[in-house]
Structures are given as structure tokens and as C-alpha cells.
């Protein structure tokens, strides 16, 4: 079933086609290699400073597993805690319901503009586009998200959405588009990072000071106190979370943790793994509303959007443990060469390859964007080694590949050529007599091809394998015949 909950960008090609185009962009590959390499090196340096790094990872994985087993209880507790602190909780089963809720809350304020602090959940449901249809403009305030918005672009990385652009491209974009969204870029803007950051700061400052409504995501929510947290590096989040009169937070239901003690583990791991920092420059936490301090109204929208279905899969549910540190993207050889756009999803890279198909359904068409993602991996295991919460991403990928193949088989009602070949191979391998005959035929055929000088290229449909590999001539005798002969000599 393809639920099409908004996670996948409509019209996105299957990963092999998108990757083929991305590989032609040498500039993109250079930007990705430089950025991911820098983040990897910083992460390794700060992680090695902690003697208990692996123990922290094990603790984080255990917290996520325990929370997933009792997610219903912790979500109810979170709702009670937020309500008791003066907030309002809304439950959204899918993207459409979440968009209706947020749009209705903004309209109730009478405002037509909102500022946003980075939130993948709102990207997942297509909130900005839905608000625009309702006459409401959403201004992204995270620097990378601002770059993406100004360029009518899509994010290509979980943590660094504009990783595919270099600073010269960003300067040109600021000069060309900033004026369309507010304060224009200054005259003579250079591509120096400090100048670019200052231009963005001045552009956004007037939005922060005039906006009455803010929309945020959440990195974590603590069930026993109702506290919601956002971690970020620029201070834009702090401005969004404190200055507006109304704050609306859209959060996936998997982001809840039971207690502050559990949260302590993640706050040690996340900054080191995501940005290579020992701690986040800004960790903002709020609990409901407080008279005279911060927003006067707080709304928490708890988003399901396929997560409950994912939780029902005893293998695939591991993906819900992800805390979006992006370490798996930065070590993935596939992502480093293709970038995030090739995945056709809000969630790129290895974690996206396991999360997206579960949120939207794999369907029965391996040529679709979501169903092709489990195959967008070499299964090298680097993502598993890097994952903070020890998600067995290669194992889930293999599990989902089997689901895709089975779905396609059911849709066709006829076996594929691969299935027929595998069934034939199973029959041969299960019979010593048939295996011996097949080995003899292969040996005779191989020697015949070798005599004709064609052993480097296999005939018919097999040439796809040999086009990029040297096919050796098979030995004159099989191991089975050698073993039979030597075993008989030993017995004599």
C-alpha cells in the first residue's frame, strides 16, 4: 500500500534514475565530499574524548527500545504534563490532519505570517506549501533552511540542508532573492562566511521582532514534565521560541523520552555526533506557558503519519529510534556521491532509505521512489557503526528489500525472471546428481568459449555481468571430482 503521506516529493524519480543524474554533477560531488569529510573528522575527534562513548550509545539504544515498547503510555503522560503546564495538545493521524490543525491555529490568531525554526516534521507534511495555499507565509529562520527557501530548493541533508551549495552560490542567491522575502542583501556582498551570516542576521531580525506566531519542531519531549526541547547552533530557535505570542510545535510521536535522566544521555551524544561540538550552543527547553515569559499560548501537535504502522514491524521499527544526528549520511559512500535530492524524500541517506518506505509504504512497484530506496545502499555497514542508537540499518534494508520483492511478486501474480532463476538454482543445489551435471555442463561450455576467445564476455543476458568484469575460464575438473578421486585413493 502506498499511503503517500507527504514524505516523498511528488514526481520524484526512482533512486537509480535520480542518482544517475546526480553523479554527472561534479560540483555537487566536490561540495559533498568536502562537507561530509569535515564533519566526520570533527565527530571522531570529540567522540574519542569520552571514555564512556560506547556505554552512552548502549544506554541511548536501551532508552529508545524501552520507550517504543510503552510508547502509548508515555504519549498519554506527555499530553497530561503539557496540559497541566498550560499548553494544548493536538493529535494528528496524518499529514492532512496536521496541516489542518496548524492552519486553523494560525488563522485563529488573525496573522498571515509565521516564523519557523528548523523542523523536519513540517517538511514531512508539506506545511509551508499548505500554509501558502491558505494565504499564510512561513519564513524559515535557520540559515541553511533560509538558503533552501530562497532558492526554491529542497533540503539535501538532515542536519545541513544546504550542503549541496558552496558559499559563492549562496552569495549569488542572497543577492538575487533576499529582497523578494524582506530586507535585501547589502551592496557588494562578498562570499565570506561572516558576511553571509551577517546578511542573513539582518534579513531575519525584522521578522523575529514583528512575528506574532512561530512554528517549531522538537528534538525531544520529556513525558514526566511536559518539557519540549530544540537544539540548534545559531540562536534563531531561541528567537522563535521566546518572542512570538503563539508557539506551535509539530513533533513526531517517536521523539518522546520518559524522564530528564534519559534526556541527559542524548544531550551528550547528539552534538558530538551531529556537528562535532561538545555541546549545542543553544539548547532551548520550555514547559507549557509562563505568565510574563515567552509565548502566551503553546500548542503541541503530535504527528503519527505512518509511525504507528512502522512500530508494528518488529524489524523495521528500529528506524523510529533515530534522533536525526545525520552521522549515517556523513559516512555513507552512496550519499557522498549522489547527495540527498536523489532520495526523493525529506529523509535522505541510509536512515531515509529505511524510514521513508515504512512511512509511505513500499507498494508493489520497485521503480517508484519509495520502493527503490531500500536498494540505495551497498550494505557496507558504515551506517550501523556510526549510528548513535545502534539501528541495524543494513539489516532493516535487507528486510525491506524482501518486502518490496514480495509486494512486486504479488502485484504481478507471475514470477519474475530472477525468481524463476533462484527456484531453478535451489532445485539444482538440492540434488547432488543435478549439481554434478550442471558443473560438468558449465565446464564444457566454459572451455568451448575459451577456445573461441570469448571467455571475457558471457553470451546473451549474462553479458551484463561480464561487461565490467573479467570472467575466468572454469577449471578442467570440479572440486567434487577431485575430492571423489582423492577420497577413494585414501581409502585404498
Amino acid at each position: 500500500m502506498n499511503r503517500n503521506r507527504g514524505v516523498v516529493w511528488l514526481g520524484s524519480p526512482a533512486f537509480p534514475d535520480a542518482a544517475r543524474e546526480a553523479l554527472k554533477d561534479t560540483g555537487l560531488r566536490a561540495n559533498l565530499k568536502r562537507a561530509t569529510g569535515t564533519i566526520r573528522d570533527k565527530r571522531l575527534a570529540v567522540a574519542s574524548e569520552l571514555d564512556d562513548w560506547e556505554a552512552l550509545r548502549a544506554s541511548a539504544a536501551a532508552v529508545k527500545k524501552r520507550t517504543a515498547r510503552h510508547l502509548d503510555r508515555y504519549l498519554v503522560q506527555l499530553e497530561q504534563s503539557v496540559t497541566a503546564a498550560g499548553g494544548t495538545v493536538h493529535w494528528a493521524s496524518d499529514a492532512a490532519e496536521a496541516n489542518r490543525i496548524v492552519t486553523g491555529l494560525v488563522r485563529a490568531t488573525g496573522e498571515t505570517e509565521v516564523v519557523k525554526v528548523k523542523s523536519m516534521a513540517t517538511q514531512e507534511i508539506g506545511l509551508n506549501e499548505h500554509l501558502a495555499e491558505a494565504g499564510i507565509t512561513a519564513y524559515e529562520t535557520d540559515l541553511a533552511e533560509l538558503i533552501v527557501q530562497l532558492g526554491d530548493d529542497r533540503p539535501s541533508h538532515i542536519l545541513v540542508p544546504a550542503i549541496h551549495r558552496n558559499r559563492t552560490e549562496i552569495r549569488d542567491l542572497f543577492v538575487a532573492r533576499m529582497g523578494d522575502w524582506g530586507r535585501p542583501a547589502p551592496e557588494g556582498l562578498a562570499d565570506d562566511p561572516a558576511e553571509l551570516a551577517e546578511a542573513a542576521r539582518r534579513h531575519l531580525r525584522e521578522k523575529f521582532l514583528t512575528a506574532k506566531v512561530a512554528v517549531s519542531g522538537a528534538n525531544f519531549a520529556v513525558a514526566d514534565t511536559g518539557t519540549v526541547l530544540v537544539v540548534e547552533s545559531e540562536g534563531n530557535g531561541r528567537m522563535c521560541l521566546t518572542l512570538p505570542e503563539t508557539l506551535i510545535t509539530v513533533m513526531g510521536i517517536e521523539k518522546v523520552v520518559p524522564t530528564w535522566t534519559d534526556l541527559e544521555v542524548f544531550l551528550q551524544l547528539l552534538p558530538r555526533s551531529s556537528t562535532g561540538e561538545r555541546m549545542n550552543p543553544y539548547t532551548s527547553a520550555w514547559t507549557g506557558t509562563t505568565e510574563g515569559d515567552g509565548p502566551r499560548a503553546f500548542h503541541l501537535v503530535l504527528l503519527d503519519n505512518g509511525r504507528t504502522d512502522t512500530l508494528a514491524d518488529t524489524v523495521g521499527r528500529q528506524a523510529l529510534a533515530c534522533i536525526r544526528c545525520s552521522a549515517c549520511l556523513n559516512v555513507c559512500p552512496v550519499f557522498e556521491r549522489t547527495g540527498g535530492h536523489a532520495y526523493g524524500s525529506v529523509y535522505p541517506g541510509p536512515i531515509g532509505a529505511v524510514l521513508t518506505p515504512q512511512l509511505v509504504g513500499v507498494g508493489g512497484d520497485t521503480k517508484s521512489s519509495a520502493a527503490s530506496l531500500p536498494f540505495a545502499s551497498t550494505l557496507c555497514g558504515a551506517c550501523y557503526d556510526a549510528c548513535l542508537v545502534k539501528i541495524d540499518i543494513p539489516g532493516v534494508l535487507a528486510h525491506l528489500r524482501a518486502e518490496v520483492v514480495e509486494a512486486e511478486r504479488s502485484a504481478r501474480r507471475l514470477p519474475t525472471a530472477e525468481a524463476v532463476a533462484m527456484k531453478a538454482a535451489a532445485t539444482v543445489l538440492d540434488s547432488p546428481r543435478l549439481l554434478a551435471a550442471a558443473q560438468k555442463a558449465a565446464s564444457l561450455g566454459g572451455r568451448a568459449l575459451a577456445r573461441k576467445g570469448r571467455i571475457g564476455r558471457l553470451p546473451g543476458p549474462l553479458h551484463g555481468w561480464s561487461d565490467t568484469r573479467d570472467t575466468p575460464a572454469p577449471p578442467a575438473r570440479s572440486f567434487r571430482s577431485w575430492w571423489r578421486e582423492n577420497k577413494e585413493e585414501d581409502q585404498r
Side-chain angles (χ1 to χ4, degrees), residues 25-58:
D25 189 340
T26 56
L28 172 66
R29 296 207 307 274
N31 292 344
L32 290 169
K33 183 176 182 179
R34 180 170 55 253
T36 56
T38 298
I39 297 172
R40 282 199 304 268
D41 292 343
K42 290 176 63 178
R43 177 183 186 270
L44 290 173
V46 295
S48 64
E49 296 174 353
L50 296 182
D51 295 334
D52 60 346
W53 178 258
E54 291 304 320
L56 285 169
R57 289 181 66 206

PDB file of all heavy atoms in Angstrom, residues 25-58:
ATOM      1  N   ASP A  25      27.001  15.627 -11.854  1.00  0.00           N
ATOM      2  CA  ASP A  25      27.289  16.956 -11.320  1.00  0.00           C
ATOM      3  C   ASP A  25      28.582  16.905 -10.505  1.00  0.00           C
ATOM      4  O   ASP A  25      28.576  16.564  -9.315  1.00  0.00           O
ATOM      5  CB  ASP A  25      26.121  17.419 -10.450  1.00  0.00           C
ATOM      6  CG  ASP A  25      26.231  18.879 -10.035  1.00  0.00           C
ATOM      7  OD1 ASP A  25      27.352  19.425 -10.080  1.00  0.00           O
ATOM      8  OD2 ASP A  25      25.195  19.461  -9.657  1.00  0.00           O
ATOM      9  N   THR A  26      29.695  17.258 -11.123  1.00  0.00           N
ATOM     10  CA  THR A  26      30.983  17.180 -10.435  1.00  0.00           C
ATOM     11  C   THR A  26      31.081  18.204  -9.303  1.00  0.00           C
ATOM     12  O   THR A  26      31.737  17.941  -8.287  1.00  0.00           O
ATOM     13  CB  THR A  26      32.134  17.404 -11.432  1.00  0.00           C
ATOM     14  OG1 THR A  26      31.937  18.667 -12.097  1.00  0.00           O
ATOM     15  CG2 THR A  26      32.167  16.299 -12.477  1.00  0.00           C
ATOM     16  N   GLY A  27      30.446  19.359  -9.476  1.00  0.00           N
ATOM     17  CA  GLY A  27      30.446  20.360  -8.413  1.00  0.00           C
ATOM     18  C   GLY A  27      29.738  19.864  -7.171  1.00  0.00           C
ATOM     19  O   GLY A  27      30.187  20.089  -6.045  1.00  0.00           O
ATOM     20  N   LEU A  28      28.606  19.176  -7.362  1.00  0.00           N
ATOM     21  CA  LEU A  28      27.861  18.614  -6.252  1.00  0.00           C
ATOM     22  C   LEU A  28      28.717  17.610  -5.494  1.00  0.00           C
ATOM     23  O   LEU A  28      28.786  17.626  -4.257  1.00  0.00           O
ATOM     24  CB  LEU A  28      26.586  17.940  -6.767  1.00  0.00           C
ATOM     25  CG  LEU A  28      25.786  17.125  -5.747  1.00  0.00           C
ATOM     26  CD1 LEU A  28      25.209  18.024  -4.680  1.00  0.00           C
ATOM     27  CD2 LEU A  28      24.686  16.323  -6.443  1.00  0.00           C
ATOM     28  N   ARG A  29      29.379  16.726  -6.227  1.00  0.00           N
ATOM     29  CA  ARG A  29      30.203  15.711  -5.577  1.00  0.00           C
ATOM     30  C   ARG A  29      31.333  16.356  -4.779  1.00  0.00           C
ATOM     31  O   ARG A  29      31.674  15.909  -3.683  1.00  0.00           O
ATOM     32  CB  ARG A  29      30.770  14.737  -6.609  1.00  0.00           C
ATOM     33  CG  ARG A  29      29.726  13.918  -7.337  1.00  0.00           C
ATOM     34  CD  ARG A  29      30.292  12.590  -7.807  1.00  0.00           C
ATOM     35  NE  ARG A  29      31.510  12.755  -8.579  1.00  0.00           N
ATOM     36  CZ  ARG A  29      31.552  12.982  -9.889  1.00  0.00           C
ATOM     37  NH1 ARG A  29      30.411  13.103 -10.559  1.00  0.00           N
ATOM     38  NH2 ARG A  29      32.687  13.096 -10.531  1.00  0.00           N
ATOM     39  N   ALA A  30      31.929  17.411  -5.317  1.00  0.00           N
ATOM     40  CA  ALA A  30      33.008  18.095  -4.605  1.00  0.00           C
ATOM     41  C   ALA A  30      32.494  18.734  -3.310  1.00  0.00           C
ATOM     42  O   ALA A  30      33.141  18.638  -2.262  1.00  0.00           O
ATOM     43  CB  ALA A  30      33.644  19.141  -5.507  1.00  0.00           C
ATOM     44  N   ASN A  31      31.325  19.390  -3.385  1.00  0.00           N
ATOM     45  CA  ASN A  31      30.744  20.015  -2.188  1.00  0.00           C
ATOM     46  C   ASN A  31      30.445  18.975  -1.113  1.00  0.00           C
ATOM     47  O   ASN A  31      30.723  19.171   0.072  1.00  0.00           O
ATOM     48  CB  ASN A  31      29.454  20.754  -2.552  1.00  0.00           C
ATOM     49  CG  ASN A  31      29.694  21.971  -3.432  1.00  0.00           C
ATOM     50  OD1 ASN A  31      30.819  22.453  -3.546  1.00  0.00           O
ATOM     51  ND2 ASN A  31      28.644  22.449  -4.064  1.00  0.00           N
ATOM     52  N   LEU A  32      29.870  17.857  -1.532  1.00  0.00           N
ATOM     53  CA  LEU A  32      29.502  16.803  -0.586  1.00  0.00           C
ATOM     54  C   LEU A  32      30.729  16.175   0.056  1.00  0.00           C
ATOM     55  O   LEU A  32      30.765  15.956   1.268  1.00  0.00           O
ATOM     56  CB  LEU A  32      28.678  15.730  -1.297  1.00  0.00           C
ATOM     57  CG  LEU A  32      27.267  16.119  -1.729  1.00  0.00           C
ATOM     58  CD1 LEU A  32      26.684  15.059  -2.643  1.00  0.00           C
ATOM     59  CD2 LEU A  32      26.379  16.317  -0.507  1.00  0.00           C
ATOM     60  N   LYS A  33      31.729  15.874  -0.751  1.00  0.00           N
ATOM     61  CA  LYS A  33      32.934  15.233  -0.222  1.00  0.00           C
ATOM     62  C   LYS A  33      33.615  16.117   0.800  1.00  0.00           C
ATOM     63  O   LYS A  33      34.041  15.660   1.863  1.00  0.00           O
ATOM     64  CB  LYS A  33      33.890  14.903  -1.369  1.00  0.00           C
ATOM     65  CG  LYS A  33      35.136  14.155  -0.906  1.00  0.00           C
ATOM     66  CD  LYS A  33      36.015  13.772  -2.090  1.00  0.00           C
ATOM     67  CE  LYS A  33      37.237  12.992  -1.608  1.00  0.00           C
ATOM     68  NZ  LYS A  33      38.111  12.591  -2.749  1.00  0.00           N
ATOM     69  N   ARG A  34      33.726  17.408   0.500  1.00  0.00           N
ATOM     70  CA  ARG A  34      34.390  18.337   1.408  1.00  0.00           C
ATOM     71  C   ARG A  34      33.602  18.472   2.717  1.00  0.00           C
ATOM     72  O   ARG A  34      34.183  18.412   3.808  1.00  0.00           O
ATOM     73  CB  ARG A  34      34.531  19.696   0.730  1.00  0.00           C
ATOM     74  CG  ARG A  34      35.209  20.755   1.592  1.00  0.00           C
ATOM     75  CD  ARG A  34      35.530  21.999   0.788  1.00  0.00           C
ATOM     76  NE  ARG A  34      34.364  22.547   0.117  1.00  0.00           N
ATOM     77  CZ  ARG A  34      34.145  22.470  -1.195  1.00  0.00           C
ATOM     78  NH1 ARG A  34      35.025  21.863  -1.983  1.00  0.00           N
ATOM     79  NH2 ARG A  34      33.054  23.002  -1.740  1.00  0.00           N
ATOM     80  N   ALA A  35      32.295  18.627   2.610  1.00  0.00           N
ATOM     81  CA  ALA A  35      31.478  18.856   3.802  1.00  0.00           C
ATOM     82  C   ALA A  35      31.388  17.614   4.681  1.00  0.00           C
ATOM     83  O   ALA A  35      31.575  17.688   5.907  1.00  0.00           O
ATOM     84  CB  ALA A  35      30.078  19.313   3.387  1.00  0.00           C
ATOM     85  N   THR A  36      31.079  16.461   4.086  1.00  0.00           N
ATOM     86  CA  THR A  36      30.943  15.246   4.891  1.00  0.00           C
ATOM     87  C   THR A  36      32.284  14.838   5.501  1.00  0.00           C
ATOM     88  O   THR A  36      32.336  14.350   6.635  1.00  0.00           O
ATOM     89  CB  THR A  36      30.382  14.084   4.060  1.00  0.00           C
ATOM     90  OG1 THR A  36      31.209  13.867   2.900  1.00  0.00           O
ATOM     91  CG2 THR A  36      28.957  14.372   3.618  1.00  0.00           C
ATOM     92  N   GLY A  37      33.366  15.047   4.780  1.00  0.00           N
ATOM     93  CA  GLY A  37      34.686  14.725   5.321  1.00  0.00           C
ATOM     94  C   GLY A  37      35.013  15.578   6.528  1.00  0.00           C
ATOM     95  O   GLY A  37      35.550  15.079   7.536  1.00  0.00           O
ATOM     96  N   THR A  38      34.692  16.860   6.474  1.00  0.00           N
ATOM     97  CA  THR A  38      34.954  17.764   7.592  1.00  0.00           C
ATOM     98  C   THR A  38      34.147  17.353   8.820  1.00  0.00           C
ATOM     99  O   THR A  38      34.675  17.292   9.939  1.00  0.00           O
ATOM    100  CB  THR A  38      34.589  19.214   7.204  1.00  0.00           C
ATOM    101  OG1 THR A  38      35.411  19.617   6.103  1.00  0.00           O
ATOM    102  CG2 THR A  38      34.805  20.158   8.372  1.00  0.00           C
ATOM    103  N   ILE A  39      32.869  17.042   8.618  1.00  0.00           N
ATOM    104  CA  ILE A  39      32.012  16.657   9.741  1.00  0.00           C
ATOM    105  C   ILE A  39      32.484  15.332  10.338  1.00  0.00           C
ATOM    106  O   ILE A  39      32.511  15.167  11.564  1.00  0.00           O
ATOM    107  CB  ILE A  39      30.541  16.555   9.292  1.00  0.00           C
ATOM    108  CG1 ILE A  39      30.036  17.930   8.822  1.00  0.00           C
ATOM    109  CG2 ILE A  39      29.663  16.058  10.437  1.00  0.00           C
ATOM    110  CD1 ILE A  39      28.657  17.888   8.191  1.00  0.00           C
ATOM    111  N   ARG A  40      32.868  14.387   9.503  1.00  0.00           N
ATOM    112  CA  ARG A  40      33.365  13.090  10.001  1.00  0.00           C
ATOM    113  C   ARG A  40      34.582  13.278  10.899  1.00  0.00           C
ATOM    114  O   ARG A  40      34.675  12.681  11.977  1.00  0.00           O
ATOM    115  CB  ARG A  40      33.729  12.170   8.842  1.00  0.00           C
ATOM    116  CG  ARG A  40      32.580  11.498   8.159  1.00  0.00           C
ATOM    117  CD  ARG A  40      33.052  10.286   7.370  1.00  0.00           C
ATOM    118  NE  ARG A  40      34.094  10.621   6.414  1.00  0.00           N
ATOM    119  CZ  ARG A  40      33.867  10.954   5.151  1.00  0.00           C
ATOM    120  NH1 ARG A  40      32.624  11.040   4.706  1.00  0.00           N
ATOM    121  NH2 ARG A  40      34.861  11.234   4.321  1.00  0.00           N
ATOM    122  N   ASP A  41      35.520  14.076  10.453  1.00  0.00           N
ATOM    123  CA  ASP A  41      36.751  14.279  11.222  1.00  0.00           C
ATOM    124  C   ASP A  41      36.458  14.937  12.570  1.00  0.00           C
ATOM    125  O   ASP A  41      37.025  14.552  13.604  1.00  0.00           O
ATOM    126  CB  ASP A  41      37.733  15.141  10.420  1.00  0.00           C
ATOM    127  CG  ASP A  41      38.272  14.417   9.186  1.00  0.00           C
ATOM    128  OD1 ASP A  41      38.152  13.182   9.132  1.00  0.00           O
ATOM    129  OD2 ASP A  41      38.808  15.098   8.287  1.00  0.00           O
ATOM    130  N   LYS A  42      35.570  15.942  12.573  1.00  0.00           N
ATOM    131  CA  LYS A  42      35.234  16.616  13.827  1.00  0.00           C
ATOM    132  C   LYS A  42      34.528  15.656  14.782  1.00  0.00           C
ATOM    133  O   LYS A  42      34.790  15.659  15.995  1.00  0.00           O
ATOM    134  CB  LYS A  42      34.337  17.828  13.541  1.00  0.00           C
ATOM    135  CG  LYS A  42      35.049  18.979  12.836  1.00  0.00           C
ATOM    136  CD  LYS A  42      34.080  20.099  12.493  1.00  0.00           C
ATOM    137  CE  LYS A  42      33.478  20.724  13.733  1.00  0.00           C
ATOM    138  NZ  LYS A  42      32.567  21.853  13.374  1.00  0.00           N
ATOM    139  N   ARG A  43      33.641  14.833  14.242  1.00  0.00           N
ATOM    140  CA  ARG A  43      32.905  13.890  15.078  1.00  0.00           C
ATOM    141  C   ARG A  43      33.851  12.895  15.743  1.00  0.00           C
ATOM    142  O   ARG A  43      33.751  12.613  16.949  1.00  0.00           O
ATOM    143  CB  ARG A  43      31.874  13.141  14.227  1.00  0.00           C
ATOM    144  CG  ARG A  43      31.088  12.079  14.986  1.00  0.00           C
ATOM    145  CD  ARG A  43      30.148  11.332  14.046  1.00  0.00           C
ATOM    146  NE  ARG A  43      29.284  10.416  14.765  1.00  0.00           N
ATOM    147  CZ  ARG A  43      29.579   9.149  15.028  1.00  0.00           C
ATOM    148  NH1 ARG A  43      30.752   8.652  14.631  1.00  0.00           N
ATOM    149  NH2 ARG A  43      28.730   8.384  15.684  1.00  0.00           N
ATOM    150  N   LEU A  44      34.764  12.341  14.969  1.00  0.00           N
ATOM    151  CA  LEU A  44      35.702  11.366  15.521  1.00  0.00           C
ATOM    152  C   LEU A  44      36.560  11.979  16.621  1.00  0.00           C
ATOM    153  O   LEU A  44      36.852  11.336  17.629  1.00  0.00           O
ATOM    154  CB  LEU A  44      36.592  10.807  14.404  1.00  0.00           C
ATOM    155  CG  LEU A  44      35.911   9.886  13.398  1.00  0.00           C
ATOM    156  CD1 LEU A  44      36.852   9.550  12.246  1.00  0.00           C
ATOM    157  CD2 LEU A  44      35.434   8.600  14.083  1.00  0.00           C
ATOM    158  N   ALA A  45      36.951  13.238  16.431  1.00  0.00           N
ATOM    159  CA  ALA A  45      37.817  13.896  17.406  1.00  0.00           C
ATOM    160  C   ALA A  45      37.112  14.085  18.749  1.00  0.00           C
ATOM    161  O   ALA A  45      37.672  13.778  19.809  1.00  0.00           O
ATOM    162  CB  ALA A  45      38.293  15.237  16.856  1.00  0.00           C
ATOM    163  N   VAL A  46      35.874  14.590  18.732  1.00  0.00           N
ATOM    164  CA  VAL A  46      35.197  14.874  20.004  1.00  0.00           C
ATOM    165  C   VAL A  46      34.619  13.608  20.631  1.00  0.00           C
ATOM    166  O   VAL A  46      34.514  13.520  21.861  1.00  0.00           O
ATOM    167  CB  VAL A  46      34.091  15.937  19.813  1.00  0.00           C
ATOM    168  CG1 VAL A  46      34.697  17.269  19.413  1.00  0.00           C
ATOM    169  CG2 VAL A  46      33.047  15.495  18.810  1.00  0.00           C
ATOM    170  N   ALA A  47      34.260  12.621  19.819  1.00  0.00           N
ATOM    171  CA  ALA A  47      33.747  11.370  20.384  1.00  0.00           C
ATOM    172  C   ALA A  47      34.853  10.626  21.135  1.00  0.00           C
ATOM    173  O   ALA A  47      34.606   9.993  22.171  1.00  0.00           O
ATOM    174  CB  ALA A  47      33.178  10.485  19.286  1.00  0.00           C
ATOM    175  N   SER A  48      36.067  10.712  20.626  1.00  0.00           N
ATOM    176  CA  SER A  48      37.190   9.999  21.259  1.00  0.00           C
ATOM    177  C   SER A  48      37.549  10.600  22.618  1.00  0.00           C
ATOM    178  O   SER A  48      38.276   9.971  23.395  1.00  0.00           O
ATOM    179  CB  SER A  48      38.414  10.042  20.342  1.00  0.00           C
ATOM    180  OG  SER A  48      38.870  11.374  20.149  1.00  0.00           O
ATOM    181  N   GLU A  49      37.033  11.801  22.921  1.00  0.00           N
ATOM    182  CA  GLU A  49      37.317  12.416  24.212  1.00  0.00           C
ATOM    183  C   GLU A  49      36.548  11.761  25.355  1.00  0.00           C
ATOM    184  O   GLU A  49      36.902  11.923  26.518  1.00  0.00           O
ATOM    185  CB  GLU A  49      36.961  13.911  24.164  1.00  0.00           C
ATOM    186  CG  GLU A  49      37.798  14.715  23.184  1.00  0.00           C
ATOM    187  CD  GLU A  49      37.316  16.149  23.061  1.00  0.00           C
ATOM    188  OE1 GLU A  49      36.260  16.479  23.641  1.00  0.00           O
ATOM    189  OE2 GLU A  49      37.997  16.931  22.371  1.00  0.00           O
ATOM    190  N   LEU A  50      35.481  11.049  25.038  1.00  0.00           N
ATOM    191  CA  LEU A  50      34.650  10.421  26.068  1.00  0.00           C
ATOM    192  C   LEU A  50      35.024   8.953  26.235  1.00  0.00           C
ATOM    193  O   LEU A  50      34.879   8.156  25.302  1.00  0.00           O
ATOM    194  CB  LEU A  50      33.167  10.533  25.699  1.00  0.00           C
ATOM    195  CG  LEU A  50      32.581  11.947  25.632  1.00  0.00           C
ATOM    196  CD1 LEU A  50      31.098  11.879  25.306  1.00  0.00           C
ATOM    197  CD2 LEU A  50      32.793  12.690  26.944  1.00  0.00           C
ATOM    198  N   ASP A  51      35.464   8.591  27.421  1.00  0.00           N
ATOM    199  CA  ASP A  51      35.817   7.196  27.676  1.00  0.00           C
ATOM    200  C   ASP A  51      34.597   6.289  27.645  1.00  0.00           C
ATOM    201  O   ASP A  51      34.709   5.088  27.394  1.00  0.00           O
ATOM    202  CB  ASP A  51      36.519   7.066  29.038  1.00  0.00           C
ATOM    203  CG  ASP A  51      37.859   7.779  29.063  1.00  0.00           C
ATOM    204  OD1 ASP A  51      38.463   7.932  27.978  1.00  0.00           O
ATOM    205  OD2 ASP A  51      38.310   8.186  30.158  1.00  0.00           O
ATOM    206  N   ASP A  52      33.428   6.862  27.945  1.00  0.00           N
ATOM    207  CA  ASP A  52      32.203   6.052  28.011  1.00  0.00           C
ATOM    208  C   ASP A  52      31.326   6.244  26.780  1.00  0.00           C
ATOM    209  O   ASP A  52      30.105   6.065  26.848  1.00  0.00           O
ATOM    210  CB  ASP A  52      31.411   6.395  29.275  1.00  0.00           C
ATOM    211  CG  ASP A  52      30.999   7.868  29.330  1.00  0.00           C
ATOM    212  OD1 ASP A  52      31.542   8.667  28.529  1.00  0.00           O
ATOM    213  OD2 ASP A  52      30.139   8.213  30.166  1.00  0.00           O
ATOM    214  N   TRP A  53      31.919   6.607  25.642  1.00  0.00           N
ATOM    215  CA  TRP A  53      31.145   6.847  24.424  1.00  0.00           C
ATOM    216  C   TRP A  53      30.278   5.643  24.049  1.00  0.00           C
ATOM    217  O   TRP A  53      29.081   5.780  23.785  1.00  0.00           O
ATOM    218  CB  TRP A  53      32.089   7.204  23.277  1.00  0.00           C
ATOM    219  CG  TRP A  53      31.424   7.425  21.951  1.00  0.00           C
ATOM    220  CD1 TRP A  53      31.382   6.551  20.896  1.00  0.00           C
ATOM    221  CD2 TRP A  53      30.687   8.580  21.530  1.00  0.00           C
ATOM    222  NE1 TRP A  53      30.683   7.095  19.838  1.00  0.00           N
ATOM    223  CE2 TRP A  53      30.247   8.340  20.205  1.00  0.00           C
ATOM    224  CE3 TRP A  53      30.380   9.784  22.133  1.00  0.00           C
ATOM    225  CZ2 TRP A  53      29.511   9.267  19.486  1.00  0.00           C
ATOM    226  CZ3 TRP A  53      29.635  10.719  21.411  1.00  0.00           C
ATOM    227  CH2 TRP A  53      29.214  10.448  20.109  1.00  0.00           C
ATOM    228  N   GLU A  54      30.876   4.451  24.039  1.00  0.00           N
ATOM    229  CA  GLU A  54      30.116   3.260  23.663  1.00  0.00           C
ATOM    230  C   GLU A  54      29.057   2.923  24.700  1.00  0.00           C
ATOM    231  O   GLU A  54      27.968   2.437  24.361  1.00  0.00           O
ATOM    232  CB  GLU A  54      31.061   2.073  23.446  1.00  0.00           C
ATOM    233  CG  GLU A  54      31.940   2.204  22.209  1.00  0.00           C
ATOM    234  CD  GLU A  54      31.132   2.406  20.939  1.00  0.00           C
ATOM    235  OE1 GLU A  54      30.079   1.755  20.790  1.00  0.00           O
ATOM    236  OE2 GLU A  54      31.534   3.244  20.108  1.00  0.00           O
ATOM    237  N   ALA A  55      29.353   3.181  25.978  1.00  0.00           N
ATOM    238  CA  ALA A  55      28.350   2.936  27.014  1.00  0.00           C
ATOM    239  C   ALA A  55      27.170   3.892  26.857  1.00  0.00           C
ATOM    240  O   ALA A  55      26.012   3.506  27.069  1.00  0.00           O
ATOM    241  CB  ALA A  55      28.984   3.097  28.394  1.00  0.00           C
ATOM    242  N   LEU A  56      27.457   5.139  26.470  1.00  0.00           N
ATOM    243  CA  LEU A  56      26.384   6.098  26.225  1.00  0.00           C
ATOM    244  C   LEU A  56      25.517   5.669  25.050  1.00  0.00           C
ATOM    245  O   LEU A  56      24.284   5.775  25.094  1.00  0.00           O
ATOM    246  CB  LEU A  56      26.972   7.486  25.963  1.00  0.00           C
ATOM    247  CG  LEU A  56      27.511   8.254  27.170  1.00  0.00           C
ATOM    248  CD1 LEU A  56      28.304   9.474  26.722  1.00  0.00           C
ATOM    249  CD2 LEU A  56      26.371   8.676  28.097  1.00  0.00           C
ATOM    250  N   ARG A  57      26.154   5.162  23.994  1.00  0.00           N
ATOM    251  CA  ARG A  57      25.389   4.669  22.841  1.00  0.00           C
ATOM    252  C   ARG A  57      24.480   3.519  23.250  1.00  0.00           C
ATOM    253  O   ARG A  57      23.310   3.453  22.846  1.00  0.00           O
ATOM    254  CB  ARG A  57      26.330   4.199  21.729  1.00  0.00           C
ATOM    255  CG  ARG A  57      27.065   5.303  20.999  1.00  0.00           C
ATOM    256  CD  ARG A  57      27.943   4.713  19.915  1.00  0.00           C
ATOM    257  NE  ARG A  57      27.152   4.082  18.872  1.00  0.00           N
ATOM    258  CZ  ARG A  57      27.594   3.091  18.088  1.00  0.00           C
ATOM    259  NH1 ARG A  57      28.813   2.623  18.247  1.00  0.00           N
ATOM    260  NH2 ARG A  57      26.816   2.581  17.159  1.00  0.00           N
ATOM    261  N   ALA A  58      25.020   2.613  24.053  1.00  0.00           N
ATOM    262  CA  ALA A  58      24.212   1.471  24.505  1.00  0.00           C
ATOM    263  C   ALA A  58      23.038   1.952  25.357  1.00  0.00           C
ATOM    264  O   ALA A  58      21.913   1.426  25.248  1.00  0.00           O
ATOM    265  CB  ALA A  58      25.086   0.493  25.285  1.00  0.00           C
TER     266      ALA A  58
END
